[in-house]
Amino acid sequence: MSSVIEHSGLDVKLNRVDRIYRPGEEVSGNIVISAKGGWSHQGLVVNVIGQTTLQLSARSLGLFESMSSIKPRILVESEIRATGPGKVPEGVSMAPFSFRLPSKGLFESYHGVFINVSYHISCACDRGVLKSSLKSRSIEFIVEVPDSAKGDETPPEPFMITPEGLENVNASSISKIPSFKITGRLFKKVCPVNLPFAGEVAILSSEAAIKSIELLLLRVETVKHPDSGKTAREATEIQTIQIADGDVCRNFVVPMYLIFPRLFTCPTMITETYRVEFEVSLVIYFVDGYMVTETSPVELYRQQ
């Protein structure tokens, strides 16, 4: 038994379940029309908008509010007429549509704290003077932008942490810090965002006991005002992974392994107004309450 339609409405359904597309690809789907009684219309229109925007929140007060006058950067904007004027029968019917994304000029979808890159699609129907117009909810589709120019044959990046190499520590206080020596390496500093980040760390020596070791992924978002040239920069945490718990055995190699989360990371983006960069921090906590941090910038790109 078919259900009774109480209200007329529109919805957009894309043919790809994951809604992931790349520049130059065709985006296709259907407009789902739920009609209470038959009615005439002046046509069905699909609206597509992709833009880079600055989003402000309570935590950005005093930091980014001076940038609120920056207008969104339009990456793609189009209006596709799916059907011309006609009549919709009672019940549920569908109207197919398709359009092709530009092959250049797109940024990858990204949901940051202050910077947002998103692509949305919606549809509308003008039913004439006597009936109100219908508009569907806006749905997001994901755009991935591969970069064939980047190479993945970058050498490993070694690092070493000792009391003498610490920053933000007075020279007179170094002698009071328990002795330790920590070494490791990052397998890649130019990393494919669709592959895991990897490395390794080893505690060669430490007078103080180790409490835990954590791996942090940070986003660094920078906004530059096009007129005044004023710049606002903020680093925020994306995720934290504990890679060791307790007093780690000396000379034992601890692997570092991190998967970049979709939408919260993207290929490193640098434009005249916006910059989205990423850092990886290794944090070693000692049982006496102290901690040391080794932070390295990483460049992300999407592998073909």
Side-chain angles (χ1 to χ4, degrees), residues 11 24 33 66 70 79 83 98 111 116 164 226 234 237 270 279:
D11 198 8
I33 310 163
S66 62
I70 297 178
E79 183 178 282
T83 66
S98 65
H111 292 179
N116 193 66
E164 293 75 20
E234 181 76 356
E237 182 181 324
I270 299 177
E279 296 177 347

Side-chain angles (χ1 to χ4, degrees), residues 28 40 58 65 147 153 210 243 249:
S28 61
S40 300
E65 76 269 10
D147 189 351
E153 297 300 326
I210 305 293
I243 61 174
C249 295

Side-chain angles (χ1 to χ4, degrees), residues 11 37-38 64 88 90-91 104 120 128 146 149 154 209 244 247 256 271 297 302:
D11 198 8
F64 284 89
V88 175
E90 182 176 5
K104 296 181 179 180
H120 288 86
T154 56
D247 196 14
M256 296 187 289
T271 69
R302 183 166 296 279

Side-chain angles (χ1 to χ4, degrees), residues 30-254:
N30 290 283
I31 301 173
V32 182
I33 310 163
S34 301
K36 181 182 180 182
W39 35 262
S40 300
H41 62 86
Q42 304 302 310
L44 294 169
V45 176
V46 176
N47 297 293
V48 182
I49 181 71
Q51 58 186 349
T52 302
T53 57
L54 173 66
Q55 51 190 19
L56 299 176
S57 61
R59 62 183 298 178
S60 63
L61 293 178
L63 181 66
F64 284 89
E65 76 269 10
S66 62
M67 307 293 179
S68 59
S69 60
I70 297 178
K71 296 181 180 179
R73 176 173 177 172
I74 304 300
L75 305 175
V76 58
E77 186 175 21
S78 60
E79 183 178 282
I80 303 101
R81 182 167 287 274
T83 66
K87 188 173 182 180
V88 175
E90 182 176 5
V92 178
S93 57
M94 292 190 295
F97 69 88
S98 65
F99 64 92
R100 191 167 294 275
L101 290 172
S103 57
K104 296 181 179 180
L106 299 183
F107 296 141
E108 184 149 326
S109 297
Y110 167 72
H111 292 179
V113 177
F114 306 110
I115 299 173
N116 193 66
V117 180
S118 61
Y119 299 83
H120 288 86
I121 183 170
S122 62
C123 63
C125 177
D126 183 1
R127 298 195 292 174
V129 179
L130 300 179
K131 288 183 177 291
S132 61
S133 299
L134 297 177
K135 188 174 182 179
S136 74
R137 63 187 177 90
S138 177
I139 66 169
E140 183 179 7
F141 62 95
I142 310 302
V143 173
E144 294 182 347
V145 183
D147 189 351
S148 58
K150 298 287 185 183
D152 58 354
E153 297 300 326
T154 56
E157 179 80 11
F159 64 87
M160 181 172 63
I161 311 173
T162 61
E164 293 75 20
L166 296 178
E167 298 180 358
N168 302 321
V169 177
N170 295 327
S172 59
S173 302
I174 292 179
S175 60
K176 302 177 184 178
I177 299 176
S179 176
F180 61 84
K181 185 176 182 180
I182 302 168
T183 62
R185 58 176 180 163
L186 309 179
F187 293 160
K188 293 180 182 179
K189 290 192 71 175
V190 181
C191 310
V193 72
N194 47 331
L195 294 177
F197 169 86
E200 58 187 25
V201 61
I203 311 296
L204 300 187
S205 63
S206 177
E207 292 180 355
I210 305 293
K211 182 180 180 181
S212 67
I213 304 176
E214 294 183 354
L215 188 65
L216 277 67
L217 176 63
L218 306 171
R219 64 169 78 84
V220 182
E221 297 173 320
T222 306
V223 181
K224 181 180 180 181
H225 199 285
D227 298 327
S228 65
K230 186 177 180 181
T231 300
R233 183 179 185 272
E234 181 76 356
T236 53
E237 182 181 324
I238 299 176
Q239 68 176 0
T240 301
I241 298 175
Q242 186 181 38
I243 61 174
D245 183 41
D247 196 14
V248 180
C249 295
R250 306 304 183 251
N251 296 304
F252 179 78
V253 177
V254 179

